[in-house]
Amino acid sequence: MQPLLSQACWDTLYMVGWSTLIAVVGGLPLGVLLVLTDRGGLLQNVLANKVIGQVVNVARSMPFIILMVALMNFTRWITGTTIGREAAIVPLAIGAIPFFARLVETAVREVDGGLVEAVQSMGGNTWTVVRKVLVPESLPSLISSTTTTIVALIGYSAMAGTVGAGGLGDIAIRYGYQRFETELMWITVAILAVVISVIQFAGDYAARSLHRRGGRSGPVPKLRLLKASAATGETV
């Protein structure tokens, strides 16, 4: 039982780790773009915003089990197979990108608009605003969003185990359900609960640590000072 569970844990972490990385790489710019192209955004484009938003909404609304089936041909083209942990990464990542993008959009919208105006008044372009203000200032919320995405992906990976993707979900189905080994099924449930608790604790701790520091990095403290001085009519 121990080698079986050890391999299943590794498979789950492998799938979730790569899927999270791809989701962050794809979802972060997508979420920022949703903010920038919205009304009043730095790259205001209502049509583009509606198209991107609709694509994200449709992708988010699709149940994961249906998404796996719908992407089988694409998964086979990418990985050469539709079974196993490598194949599971494809639908996991594609399903997580729009989910994470919406969380990023919410986090970025919380950034104080005065900081954006301060950067623009200093001659900063859109890329500078994103790199120096939007991402650093929303970093605590982005960490929390990443934690939420990882927890969701663990649940998705367990579901992927029902179609031969491996991992703890596969163990729970093949041994716990089909072979009536109830004890093994509950052990996998306990392992998943522990893994999720550890990840949630680590994510919350990192977010709180960054929040205590103000979510600041680089020139943002200077921008805060500029904003304060502008309000009082002073010069920096």
Side-chain angles (χ1 to χ4, degrees):
M1 184 183 297
Q2 184 175 353
L4 191 67
L5 289 172
S6 298
Q7 183 61 44
C9 288
W10 168 246
D11 289 342
T12 296
L13 294 176
Y14 181 87
M15 290 186 290
V16 172
W18 279 106
S19 301
T20 301
L21 178 61
I22 297 172
V24 170
V25 171
L28 180 60
L30 189 60
V32 173
L33 191 61
L34 283 169
V35 176
L36 295 179
T37 57
D38 200 3
R39 295 183 186 276
L42 299 179
L43 300 175
Q44 179 175 321
N45 189 320
V46 178
L47 178 60
N49 183 267
K50 288 185 178 297
V51 170
I52 297 172
Q54 191 61 34
V55 171
V56 170
N57 290 338
V58 171
R60 285 184 62 200
S61 65
M62 186 174 297
F64 180 69
I65 191 70
I66 297 177
L67 182 65
M68 282 194 300
V69 175
L71 292 175
M72 277 189 174
N73 290 333
F74 180 71
T75 300
R76 184 181 292 110
W77 180 68
I78 293 291
T79 64
T81 181
T82 58
I83 299 175
R85 62 185 190 182
E86 282 77 17
I89 291 173
V90 176
L92 283 172
I94 293 178
I97 286 175
F99 179 82
F100 184 69
R102 281 301 185 189
L103 295 178
V104 171
E105 180 188 11
T106 302
V108 172
R109 288 190 187 279
E110 296 175 354
V111 176
D112 190 346
L115 298 176
V116 176
E117 295 174 0
V119 172
Q120 290 179 307
S121 68
M122 296 168 61
N125 56 22
T126 302
W127 170 244
T128 302
V129 171
V130 171
R131 186 168 59 92
K132 297 295 185 180
V133 178
L134 295 183
V135 173
E137 285 293 296
S138 62
L139 197 54
S141 295
L142 292 178
I143 295 295
S144 297
S145 299
T146 303
T147 304
T148 302
T149 302
I150 293 174
V151 172
L153 281 171
I154 291 175
Y156 290 165
S157 70
M159 195 183 305
T162 63
V163 292
L168 292 170
D170 182 48
I171 296 298
I173 293 296
R174 285 196 295 124
Y175 291 90
Y177 178 73
Q178 295 177 349
R179 300 186 183 183
F180 303 102
E181 296 184 21
T182 308
E183 180 184 357
L184 185 57
M185 183 177 66
W186 283 111
I187 289 175
T188 60
V189 171
I191 292 174
L192 285 171
V194 171
V195 170
I196 289 175
S197 298
V198 170
I199 291 173
Q200 189 67 57
F201 174 80
D204 291 344
Y205 178 80
R208 286 195 301 268
S209 298
L210 288 171
H211 185 71
R212 284 196 295 267
R213 299 175 186 175
R216 306 168 189 170
S217 64
V220 175
K222 176 67 173 178
L223 298 179
R224 290 187 184 277
L225 188 59
L226 284 172
K227 180 187 174 186
S229 65
T232 59
E234 300 174 358
T235 58
V236 178

PDB file of all heavy atoms in Angstrom, residues 32-46:
ATOM      1  N   VAL A  32      -4.698  40.550 -16.476  1.00  0.00           N
ATOM      2  CA  VAL A  32      -4.272  41.950 -16.573  1.00  0.00           C
ATOM      3  C   VAL A  32      -4.855  42.601 -17.824  1.00  0.00           C
ATOM      4  O   VAL A  32      -5.295  43.765 -17.804  1.00  0.00           O
ATOM      5  CB  VAL A  32      -2.733  42.037 -16.577  1.00  0.00           C
ATOM      6  CG1 VAL A  32      -2.274  43.474 -16.859  1.00  0.00           C
ATOM      7  CG2 VAL A  32      -2.162  41.551 -15.248  1.00  0.00           C
ATOM      8  N   LEU A  33      -4.889  41.849 -18.923  1.00  0.00           N
ATOM      9  CA  LEU A  33      -5.437  42.378 -20.171  1.00  0.00           C
ATOM     10  C   LEU A  33      -6.926  42.689 -20.031  1.00  0.00           C
ATOM     11  O   LEU A  33      -7.416  43.666 -20.611  1.00  0.00           O
ATOM     12  CB  LEU A  33      -5.214  41.366 -21.298  1.00  0.00           C
ATOM     13  CG  LEU A  33      -5.496  41.847 -22.730  1.00  0.00           C
ATOM     14  CD1 LEU A  33      -4.598  43.009 -23.083  1.00  0.00           C
ATOM     15  CD2 LEU A  33      -5.298  40.704 -23.717  1.00  0.00           C
ATOM     16  N   LEU A  34      -7.650  41.891 -19.272  1.00  0.00           N
ATOM     17  CA  LEU A  34      -9.061  42.166 -19.036  1.00  0.00           C
ATOM     18  C   LEU A  34      -9.255  43.505 -18.335  1.00  0.00           C
ATOM     19  O   LEU A  34     -10.219  44.227 -18.604  1.00  0.00           O
ATOM     20  CB  LEU A  34      -9.683  41.043 -18.204  1.00  0.00           C
ATOM     21  CG  LEU A  34      -9.999  39.741 -18.938  1.00  0.00           C
ATOM     22  CD1 LEU A  34     -10.344  38.634 -17.941  1.00  0.00           C
ATOM     23  CD2 LEU A  34     -11.148  39.948 -19.918  1.00  0.00           C
ATOM     24  N   VAL A  35      -8.344  43.849 -17.433  1.00  0.00           N
ATOM     25  CA  VAL A  35      -8.417  45.129 -16.735  1.00  0.00           C
ATOM     26  C   VAL A  35      -8.003  46.277 -17.652  1.00  0.00           C
ATOM     27  O   VAL A  35      -8.671  47.323 -17.712  1.00  0.00           O
ATOM     28  CB  VAL A  35      -7.532  45.107 -15.477  1.00  0.00           C
ATOM     29  CG1 VAL A  35      -7.527  46.474 -14.796  1.00  0.00           C
ATOM     30  CG2 VAL A  35      -8.013  44.043 -14.505  1.00  0.00           C
ATOM     31  N   LEU A  36      -6.933  46.089 -18.395  1.00  0.00           N
ATOM     32  CA  LEU A  36      -6.409  47.160 -19.231  1.00  0.00           C
ATOM     33  C   LEU A  36      -7.357  47.534 -20.373  1.00  0.00           C
ATOM     34  O   LEU A  36      -7.421  48.698 -20.771  1.00  0.00           O
ATOM     35  CB  LEU A  36      -5.050  46.759 -19.815  1.00  0.00           C
ATOM     36  CG  LEU A  36      -3.909  46.561 -18.816  1.00  0.00           C
ATOM     37  CD1 LEU A  36      -2.639  46.134 -19.538  1.00  0.00           C
ATOM     38  CD2 LEU A  36      -3.656  47.835 -18.016  1.00  0.00           C
ATOM     39  N   THR A  37      -8.082  46.544 -20.909  1.00  0.00           N
ATOM     40  CA  THR A  37      -8.961  46.816 -22.055  1.00  0.00           C
ATOM     41  C   THR A  37     -10.372  47.203 -21.636  1.00  0.00           C
ATOM     42  O   THR A  37     -11.208  47.495 -22.495  1.00  0.00           O
ATOM     43  CB  THR A  37      -9.042  45.569 -22.961  1.00  0.00           C
ATOM     44  OG1 THR A  37      -9.503  44.445 -22.207  1.00  0.00           O
ATOM     45  CG2 THR A  37      -7.685  45.253 -23.564  1.00  0.00           C
ATOM     46  N   ASP A  38     -10.652  47.203 -20.346  1.00  0.00           N
ATOM     47  CA  ASP A  38     -11.986  47.572 -19.878  1.00  0.00           C
ATOM     48  C   ASP A  38     -12.186  49.083 -20.007  1.00  0.00           C
ATOM     49  O   ASP A  38     -11.246  49.835 -20.294  1.00  0.00           O
ATOM     50  CB  ASP A  38     -12.151  47.135 -18.424  1.00  0.00           C
ATOM     51  CG  ASP A  38     -13.617  47.030 -18.027  1.00  0.00           C
ATOM     52  OD1 ASP A  38     -14.488  47.239 -18.893  1.00  0.00           O
ATOM     53  OD2 ASP A  38     -13.883  46.739 -16.851  1.00  0.00           O
ATOM     54  N   ARG A  39     -13.417  49.519 -19.800  1.00  0.00           N
ATOM     55  CA  ARG A  39     -13.715  50.957 -19.879  1.00  0.00           C
ATOM     56  C   ARG A  39     -12.873  51.719 -18.863  1.00  0.00           C
ATOM     57  O   ARG A  39     -12.842  51.379 -17.680  1.00  0.00           O
ATOM     58  CB  ARG A  39     -15.200  51.202 -19.602  1.00  0.00           C
ATOM     59  CG  ARG A  39     -16.121  50.602 -20.653  1.00  0.00           C
ATOM     60  CD  ARG A  39     -17.566  50.947 -20.360  1.00  0.00           C
ATOM     61  NE  ARG A  39     -18.468  50.271 -21.281  1.00  0.00           N
ATOM     62  CZ  ARG A  39     -18.783  50.711 -22.496  1.00  0.00           C
ATOM     63  NH1 ARG A  39     -18.265  51.852 -22.931  1.00  0.00           N
ATOM     64  NH2 ARG A  39     -19.615  50.037 -23.270  1.00  0.00           N
ATOM     65  N   GLY A  40     -12.209  52.767 -19.339  1.00  0.00           N
ATOM     66  CA  GLY A  40     -11.331  53.541 -18.484  1.00  0.00           C
ATOM     67  C   GLY A  40      -9.958  52.937 -18.296  1.00  0.00           C
ATOM     68  O   GLY A  40      -9.119  53.512 -17.589  1.00  0.00           O
ATOM     69  N   GLY A  41      -9.701  51.794 -18.903  1.00  0.00           N
ATOM     70  CA  GLY A  41      -8.396  51.157 -18.790  1.00  0.00           C
ATOM     71  C   GLY A  41      -7.347  51.829 -19.652  1.00  0.00           C
ATOM     72  O   GLY A  41      -7.652  52.646 -20.530  1.00  0.00           O
ATOM     73  N   LEU A  42      -6.103  51.456 -19.413  1.00  0.00           N
ATOM     74  CA  LEU A  42      -5.008  52.073 -20.158  1.00  0.00           C
ATOM     75  C   LEU A  42      -5.022  51.679 -21.632  1.00  0.00           C
ATOM     76  O   LEU A  42      -4.510  52.414 -22.472  1.00  0.00           O
ATOM     77  CB  LEU A  42      -3.668  51.663 -19.526  1.00  0.00           C
ATOM     78  CG  LEU A  42      -3.459  52.092 -18.065  1.00  0.00           C
ATOM     79  CD1 LEU A  42      -2.111  51.610 -17.561  1.00  0.00           C
ATOM     80  CD2 LEU A  42      -3.568  53.609 -17.927  1.00  0.00           C
ATOM     81  N   LEU A  43      -5.575  50.518 -21.938  1.00  0.00           N
ATOM     82  CA  LEU A  43      -5.678  50.054 -23.324  1.00  0.00           C
ATOM     83  C   LEU A  43      -7.151  49.848 -23.686  1.00  0.00           C
ATOM     84  O   LEU A  43      -7.518  48.863 -24.307  1.00  0.00           O
ATOM     85  CB  LEU A  43      -4.904  48.745 -23.521  1.00  0.00           C
ATOM     86  CG  LEU A  43      -3.412  48.775 -23.224  1.00  0.00           C
ATOM     87  CD1 LEU A  43      -2.824  47.376 -23.351  1.00  0.00           C
ATOM     88  CD2 LEU A  43      -2.688  49.742 -24.154  1.00  0.00           C
ATOM     89  N   GLN A  44      -7.979  50.812 -23.329  1.00  0.00           N
ATOM     90  CA  GLN A  44      -9.423  50.651 -23.475  1.00  0.00           C
ATOM     91  C   GLN A  44      -9.817  50.178 -24.873  1.00  0.00           C
ATOM     92  O   GLN A  44      -9.519  50.818 -25.877  1.00  0.00           O
ATOM     93  CB  GLN A  44     -10.131  51.960 -23.169  1.00  0.00           C
ATOM     94  CG  GLN A  44     -11.645  51.873 -23.321  1.00  0.00           C
ATOM     95  CD  GLN A  44     -12.341  53.145 -22.901  1.00  0.00           C
ATOM     96  OE1 GLN A  44     -11.955  53.781 -21.921  1.00  0.00           O
ATOM     97  NE2 GLN A  44     -13.370  53.537 -23.632  1.00  0.00           N
ATOM     98  N   ASN A  45     -10.480  49.035 -24.900  1.00  0.00           N
ATOM     99  CA  ASN A  45     -10.988  48.462 -26.144  1.00  0.00           C
ATOM    100  C   ASN A  45     -12.180  47.589 -25.763  1.00  0.00           C
ATOM    101  O   ASN A  45     -12.016  46.434 -25.399  1.00  0.00           O
ATOM    102  CB  ASN A  45      -9.915  47.657 -26.862  1.00  0.00           C
ATOM    103  CG  ASN A  45     -10.332  47.230 -28.255  1.00  0.00           C
ATOM    104  OD1 ASN A  45     -11.477  46.856 -28.479  1.00  0.00           O
ATOM    105  ND2 ASN A  45      -9.407  47.282 -29.196  1.00  0.00           N
ATOM    106  N   VAL A  46     -13.361  48.174 -25.844  1.00  0.00           N
ATOM    107  CA  VAL A  46     -14.556  47.501 -25.348  1.00  0.00           C
ATOM    108  C   VAL A  46     -14.813  46.196 -26.094  1.00  0.00           C
ATOM    109  O   VAL A  46     -15.160  45.181 -25.493  1.00  0.00           O
ATOM    110  CB  VAL A  46     -15.781  48.434 -25.471  1.00  0.00           C
ATOM    111  CG1 VAL A  46     -17.048  47.712 -25.007  1.00  0.00           C
ATOM    112  CG2 VAL A  46     -15.574  49.695 -24.655  1.00  0.00           C
TER     113      VAL A  46
END
